[in-house]
Amino acid sequence: MEKTLTIGLTLFLTLCVDIPGAGGQKEGAHGENTQKRSSRSSDTKGGRCSYTFIVPQQKLTGALCLNTQSASTNQSEVAALRAELRRQQEQLEKLRGQLEQEGSLATEVRALRKESSSMNSRIAQLYAQLLHEVIHKKDQALEQQRVENLLLNATTQALQVSSNYRELEKKYGALTSMMSSQNQFIARLEKQCQCRDSTQASLVTTEPPKSQPNVHPNYSSEANEMTNDVQRDQSALPPQQGKTIPSLPTTPANTTDPPFSSFPVTKTPGPWRDCQHVLESGETTSGIYLLRPQSANRLLQAWCEQSQAQGGWTVIQRRQDGSVNFFRTWEQYKQGFGNLDGEYWLGLEHLYWLTKQAQYKLRVALEDWQGRQVFAEYDSFHLEPESDWYRLRLGQYHGNAGDSLSWHNNKAFTTLDRDKDGYTGNCAHFQKGGWWYHMCAHSNLNGVWYRGGHYRSRYQDGVYWAEFHGGSYSLKRVSMMIKPT
């Protein structure tokens, strides 16, 4: 097939032919009318010849034929080359497998190194934490040793104080015995004087001095059964046959403020169940009356308040001038103490028997140092027996003083020598009184009477009602009264 080939540029055609032996020869067909320049180069290493034909720019007509005579190949060399190629391929595959295996191992080693580094950091952190805890425990051991030493010192001091307290109790018992003997001696002297002049004594009874506090003269043969330790009770003497005996004039307490009200003499004989019974009997005058609760083989005296809140109130506690110390023992709070015409506590045992005979309500009257008077009433009030530590039972509150006693509801009574509160220490020790303490108090009406209201103390131990001026304000006057509902 003929073709016309036009070449516009100089064409470099390089043909490489493997020719065994000395070399090869390149012939070109139709080379009779064509100018040729050839350059030959030989490669002695491989026995190869290459011919470079430089064809000038010209027009070619017809077919361009190239004749190359293929050299015969050496089969043994080709087989050896193929075998070597396969061996190298096998080695290459083997190396590739080893490389992949080593790569996976290297990856695992890197992961292990990373994990080891994190573990080292974690171990260092744990070691630092352990060291810190060791140091902290060492400090705690030193602090514990110091606290133990302080506790030992405090225990020693407490034992010393307890020993001193027992000595004071012995001295107090001796003084009480001496005072009792003196009272008996005075009673004998009075008896002798009354025998000499009974007419004059009768006049003193009917017209007592107004400047002295008076006591109800309704003494009967049952007066010896009275068990409370209220000071006015100690002056009560049994009457002689058909004769009225005047009461001993008692020395007024060193009060700093006037009492709540005057102290008139009551003339109606008793005893009564309570002050409501006194009011129903026609006695409308506030004063000291002789009471005997039902089902109780005991007599007691109490102040009956007939002028406040329709009257009939039996006063069970009163604070007004700080003349009586309320930091007392369990037995004293049980039997009662103080002055019936001043500050006094009626006694837990008497309260138990009083509130057992009917359903009573409680009224707490409070007065601050600016003259403001408020009250808190509870529609039911009674105490459990001593076997249950005179536990407080309260009803619903109403009033204008705020409710600071319901927090103490269902709590046992606590004194310095009987710790029945829910606090780890003794609330009576910190509050300086006896009360139905919880943890510790929202009210402390048996605390320390401080003058002026706001007080400074290491503890909140004043006469306070938390809802009325707070715990750091000691009230001026306080009274607790009960009455049948």
Side-chain angles (χ1 to χ4, degrees), residues 93-107:
E93 291 296 331
K94 186 177 181 181
L95 291 173
R96 185 179 290 111
Q98 292 178 356
L99 182 61
E100 290 178 356
Q101 185 177 2
E102 291 177 357
S104 62
L105 289 174
T107 304

Side-chain angles (χ1 to χ4, degrees), residues 133-151:
E133 289 181 357
V134 169
I135 295 174
H136 182 63
K137 287 183 177 179
K138 186 176 180 181
D139 294 340
Q140 282 185 343
L142 294 175
E143 181 67 17
Q144 184 179 2
Q145 185 178 2
R146 188 181 68 84
V147 171
E148 287 178 353
N149 293 333
L150 292 176
L151 182 61

Side-chain angles (χ1 to χ4, degrees), residues 112-247:
L112 289 174
R113 285 180 178 175
K114 186 176 180 181
E115 186 176 357
S116 175
S117 177
S118 63
M119 288 296 293
N120 288 336
S121 61
R122 179 59 179 166
I123 288 172
Q125 183 180 0
L126 291 174
Y127 179 76
Q129 185 177 357
L130 179 62
L131 184 62
H132 176 72
E133 289 181 357
V134 169
I135 295 174
H136 182 63
K137 287 183 177 179
K138 186 176 180 181
D139 294 340
Q140 282 185 343
L142 294 175
E143 181 67 17
Q144 184 179 2
Q145 185 178 2
R146 188 181 68 84
V147 171
E148 287 178 353
N149 293 333
L150 292 176
L151 182 61
L152 289 175
N153 295 334
T155 304
T156 305
Q157 294 178 1
L159 292 175
Q160 183 65 31
V161 170
S162 178
S163 177
N164 295 337
Y165 179 74
R166 285 193 294 270
E167 292 179 0
L168 289 175
E169 279 187 337
K170 292 179 181 178
K171 294 179 180 179
Y172 177 76
L175 290 175
T176 304
S177 178
M178 184 184 300
M179 186 175 65
S180 177
S181 62
Q182 290 178 355
N183 287 336
Q184 293 176 2
F185 179 70
I186 293 172
R188 287 195 298 269
L189 292 178
E190 281 191 341
K191 186 176 180 181
Q192 294 175 2
C193 293
Q194 290 165 1
C195 292
R196 295 177 182 176
D197 195 358
S198 59
T199 306
Q200 185 178 356
S202 177
L203 292 175
V204 173
T205 302
T206 55
E207 298 179 2
K210 295 182 179 180
S211 61
Q212 298 175 353
N214 296 301
V215 64
H216 191 280
N218 56 344
Y219 304 112
S220 65
S221 60
E222 298 174 330
N224 292 328
E225 300 176 7
M226 296 170 61
T227 58
N228 59 332
D229 191 26
V230 181
Q231 292 182 17
R232 290 300 294 268
D233 296 346
Q234 299 174 358
S235 63
L237 297 174
Q240 294 183 352
Q241 299 175 355
K243 294 184 179 180
T244 305
I245 300 176
S247 61

Side-chain angles (χ1 to χ4, degrees), residues 335-360:
Q335 300 298 338
F337 55 86
N339 296 305
L340 284 171
D341 50 7
E343 293 192 339
Y344 78 96
W345 173 260
L346 186 62
L348 293 168
E349 188 67 16
H350 305 311
L351 269 177
Y352 165 69
W353 287 106
L354 279 172
T355 57
K356 187 179 179 181
Q357 59 186 351
Q359 183 175 355
Y360 283 78

Side-chain angles (χ1 to χ4, degrees), residues 272-278 280 291-294 312-316 346 350-363 377-383 392-396 481-485:
W272 290 274
R273 294 189 305 271
D274 52 30
C275 292
Q276 178 66 25
H277 189 199
V278 174
E280 292 172 354
L291 307 179
R292 182 171 65 184
Q294 293 178 348
W313 295 98
T314 304
V315 178
I316 63 174
L346 186 62
H350 305 311
L351 269 177
Y352 165 69
W353 287 106
L354 279 172
T355 57
K356 187 179 179 181
Q357 59 186 351
Q359 183 175 355
Y360 283 78
K361 60 182 178 180
L362 172 69
R363 181 182 178 92
E377 280 195 11
Y378 298 87
D379 58 10
S380 67
F381 169 84
H382 73 275
L383 301 184
L392 175 65
R393 304 297 188 189
L394 278 181
Q396 295 296 322
M481 305 173 287
I482 60 172
K483 177 181 179 180
T485 56

